[in-house]
Amino acid sequence: MTFLDLLDDMRRRQEEILNGGGAEKLAKRRAKGLMTARDRLDALFDAATFQEMGGHVRHSARHFGMEKKDLPADGVVVGTGYVGGRMVSAFAQDFTVLGGSLGKMHAKKIVTLMEEAAKFGSPVVAFKDSAGARIQEGVDALSGYGCVFYQNVLLSGVVPQIAVVCGPCAGGASYSPALMDFIIMTRNNAYMFITGPEVIKAVTGKTVTLDEVGGADMHASVSGNVHFLAEDDADAIRIVQKLLSYLPDNNSEDPPHRPSADIALAGDDAIHALIPDDPQSPMDVRAIIARIVDTNEFLEVHRSFAENIIVGFGRVEGIVVGLVANQPEVRAGALDMDAADKAARFIRFCNCFNIPLVTLVDVPGFLPGVEQERGGIIRHGAKLLFAYASCTTPKVTVILRKAYGGSYLAMCSREMGADFVFAWPTAEIAVMGADGAVTVLYNKELKAAENPKAKARELAAAYRAEFASPYLAASHGYITDVIDPAFTRSTIALSLRKALSKREMRPPKKHGNIPL
Ligand code: HXC
């Protein structure tokens, strides 16, 4: 063959790879409003930065007539590119090629990409759109999944891993996204479950819909498996890009801080109007967060799940932070099992990747109830304590209003390792709320009182003033300072700047044993 023949042959092979499952199948997907695997990677990466790896890889299956089947790129497009000028490793399963099913070589491509990501220290983004284990490859397909899971675990805490579930993700296959740091799921085409409606019907006799057991809305609000709900592929990719803008490339780098030259120290009196006079009235902590973070700099994680606690990424005077805040508008901000799980996982992610934590506290306690006790609130709540105490990134806590009992500690008090603890003058820090406390402390007096309700109110007011005030905690050295809420943002900003150089050594160990 002449050189030109060889060049033609190379171009023909490239064309076949780019064509995936064929023009007809690709067009069908686009007609349904779905991106193809390559469309997804093109949309993710900065223009002309994608470099494909292993496009020529082919399957090694020899049963069920597979030896005659040519599967371009073996159903998964793999490579590296830049997102906002930073290198990212990504793969996208190609549903047009045998349903994006995973066989031995398909898995090998993913594993190689992940090994390289660990070597180069680049985040991994995975577009999951697959019919699962390739049936014709049997145990080789299962082994392939095993190898991917193993890499997911090896990379955990080394580089950020983001899964976009944008198609089927059934059976054990769903454990790969679950082992990654964040799952973004599209509303229009995706489902994820261990056992789907047919198996559930066969085993339990119960009829359920796909949405009920595996839809994006359910996972975002009920199971908590999904961190971000996306309308479609384009929306999911926008979320990936935004998320990456807060994360370092790997665990040995700092997050992409953009510190402002000077910290604006002026007070923000507008915050005063957001604070109710009555401590029992709910306060929307989202509005408080909006006054603390830089403009347009808050990306809420797990927005629809355990809404009694809010977690998300933001910047304060350019410094990337993870925010954790009780939301008194939902269940009075009380901590329950889901809230503890949600916050603990987020805190641990921030610690893995050197992201400072800002905690806003307004918590009446752990949610009372038989369901919570039997469900293991002790075990779940312990995760939150464990997460904060083991976190060595800078930690700034602001007690806005209530901080009672165990939940005072669980929301990162000084004892749990906070570097700075500030309190608003409205803070109430005590073993329990004033109303509960007076019924225990003054049981006999209240029974003997002419008007027990009035007496209880009077005693509660005295308790609040004397005992639950932030000045008592401050006088015992538990509070760095009591601050005017107008200076919350500047106080946090200044503290973060100072704490960025924090170095904290712990006794060496294999790993701690977080209550699971
Ligand atoms: C090989 C598969 C396949 C599979 C689908 N295909 N699933 N090939 N292995 N698991 C092929 C089809 O034969 C078809 O090939 C093409 O992919 C598209 O599939 P369709 O059925 O035509 O598509 P659609 O109607 O959209 O239905 C998609 C689907 C359905 C709902 C995903 O294909 C399905 O139920 N597949 C089986 C899913 C499954 O049970 N997977 C195993 C899960 S358990 P052609 O040549 O016609 O294009 C698992 C274990 C993992 O994954 C364990 C890890 C520990």
Side-chain angles (χ1 to χ4, degrees):
M1 281 214 264
T2 66
F3 165 67
L4 284 180
D5 289 338
L6 290 170
L7 205 56
D8 276 349
D9 178 54
M10 188 193 85
R11 286 179 180 143
R12 184 190 49 76
R13 286 167 187 267
Q14 276 175 340
E15 198 55 36
E16 273 173 18
I17 293 167
L18 294 180
N19 233 357
E24 199 184 317
K25 282 186 176 165
L26 294 173
K28 227 182 198 172
R29 278 184 78 78
R30 293 196 181 109
K32 278 198 227 162
L34 301 173
M35 285 188 183
T36 67
R38 286 178 191 277
D39 291 343
R40 285 169 177 153
L41 294 175
D42 280 349
L44 171 69
F45 289 127
D46 302 348
T49 63
F50 177 57
Q51 287 183 301
E52 186 161 357
M53 287 161 51
H56 294 282
V57 167
R58 290 297 186 274
H59 71 83
S60 54
R62 292 292 169 264
H63 301 284
F64 303 102
M66 283 292 284
E67 59 276 19
K68 290 185 210 105
K69 274 202 172 155
D70 182 38
L71 304 180
D74 204 20
V76 60
V77 186
V78 170
T80 56
Y82 286 90
V83 176
R86 294 159 59 206
M87 182 178 151
V88 169
S89 302
F91 69 88
Q93 293 178 307
D94 185 348
F95 196 82
T96 67
V97 179
L98 214 58
S101 56
L102 180 143
K104 182 177 168 179
M105 299 308 285
H106 177 124
K108 192 163 184 238
K109 286 178 71 174
I110 297 172
V111 166
T112 305
L113 178 87
M114 293 172 82
E115 286 169 346
E116 306 257 297
K119 196 163 65 186
F120 293 123
S122 62
V124 172
V125 176
F127 290 93
K128 305 274 180 177
D129 188 354
S130 165
R134 188 173 295 156
I135 296 162
Q136 300 91 326
E137 295 204 30
V139 69
D140 279 342
L142 294 184
S143 164
Y145 270 115
C147 295
V148 174
F149 295 172
Y150 192 77
Q151 284 299 319
N152 284 138
V153 175
L154 282 190
L155 263 59
S156 182
V158 178
V159 294
Q161 300 182 77
I162 302 169
V164 182
V165 177
C166 46
C169 190
S174 46
Y175 284 121
S176 179
L179 288 168
M180 299 176 84
D181 296 304
F182 297 102
I183 302 181
I184 298 158
M185 190 164 173
T186 55
R187 256 199 178 122
N188 59 340
N189 182 49
Y191 53 86
M192 179 167 63
F193 48 70
I194 296 295
T195 51
E198 280 156 35
V199 178
I200 292 175
K201 174 85 184 160
V203 176
T204 68
K206 210 172 160 194
T207 304
V208 291
T209 66
L210 204 53
D211 283 342
E212 272 176 299
V213 292
D217 282 289
M218 186 286 284
H219 281 308
S221 60
V222 181
S223 73
N225 288 323
V226 163
H227 301 86
F228 300 95
L229 196 56
E231 290 306 320
D232 53 24
D233 290 314
D235 192 27
I237 290 163
R238 270 192 297 274
I239 296 169
V240 174
Q241 291 165 333
K242 179 92 179 152
L243 182 55
L244 285 170
S245 77
Y246 292 109
L247 312 183
D249 294 341
N250 56 64
N251 63 340
S252 60
E253 288 184 14
D254 284 331
H257 300 306
R258 298 196 286 257
S260 49
D262 298 303
I263 294 175
L265 294 173
D268 170 22
D269 289 338
I271 205 169
H272 290 164
L274 302 174
I275 307 166
D277 284 329
D278 178 2
Q280 305 309 331
S281 296
M283 174 179 72
D284 180 11
V285 82
R286 228 177 239 121
I288 306 291
I289 292 171
R291 304 215 71 86
I292 292 172
V293 295
D294 299 349
T295 314
N296 298 326
E297 286 282 11
F298 187 57
L299 176 66
E300 194 170 336
V301 180
H302 254 153
R303 188 184 170 95
S304 326
F305 177 67
E307 293 172 89
N308 41 338
I309 201 156
I310 290 177
V311 301
F313 299 105
R315 280 189 175 79
V316 181
E317 293 282 356
I319 304 299
V320 173
V321 294
L323 274 127
V324 181
N326 307 113
Q327 172 55 297
E329 287 204 325
V330 180
R331 266 168 258 139
L335 292 170
D336 58 7
M337 295 181 283
D338 285 347
D341 285 2
K342 169 175 164 178
R345 172 107 178 127
F346 180 75
I347 293 159
R348 284 169 72 78
F349 175 83
C350 289
N351 194 40
C352 288
F353 294 105
N354 313 313
I355 298 173
L357 280 167
V358 173
T359 303
L360 305 178
V361 187
D362 188 356
V363 61
F366 284 93
L367 188 71
V370 175
E371 193 192 313
Q372 291 291 314
E373 296 299 336
R374 291 174 67 97
I377 182 68
I378 296 174
R379 178 165 55 86
H380 291 274
K383 290 180 216 237
L384 187 53
L385 288 156
F386 197 106
Y388 268 127
S390 52
C391 171
T392 56
T393 57
K395 292 182 279 190
V396 181
T397 298
V398 185
I399 302 173
L400 312 182
R401 301 196 304 172
K402 299 179 185 68
Y404 293 152
S407 61
Y408 155 69
L409 303 172
M411 290 303 293
C412 202
S413 65
R414 175 75 94 186
E415 299 73 13
M416 301 312 289
D419 300 297
F420 298 95
V421 180
F422 299 99
W424 285 0
T426 44
E428 295 178 33
I429 305 160
V431 170
M432 60 171 78
D435 297 328
V438 295
T439 59
V440 177
L441 290 175
Y442 304 108
N443 191 8
K444 284 188 199 123
E445 288 88 332
L446 288 172
K447 275 189 186 145
E450 251 177 57
N451 183 343
K453 275 193 182 159
K455 186 72 185 166
R457 266 199 305 275
E458 179 197 319
L459 290 168
Y463 173 95
R464 213 172 266 124
E466 190 186 327
F467 211 61
S469 116
Y471 302 103
L472 187 67
S475 74
H476 292 203
Y478 302 126
I479 303 287
T480 311
D481 199 5
V482 182
I483 59 166
D484 176 345
F487 293 96
T488 308
R489 177 181 152 83
S490 55
T491 302
I492 292 172
L494 206 53
S495 308
L496 286 169
R497 288 289 167 100
K498 291 174 180 167
L500 277 185
S501 56
K502 178 179 174 187
R503 293 288 174 268
E504 190 178 325
M505 302 311 286
R506 298 282 174 102
K509 57 182 161 184
K510 199 166 174 187
H511 62 75
N513 188 12
I514 188 166
L516 295 173

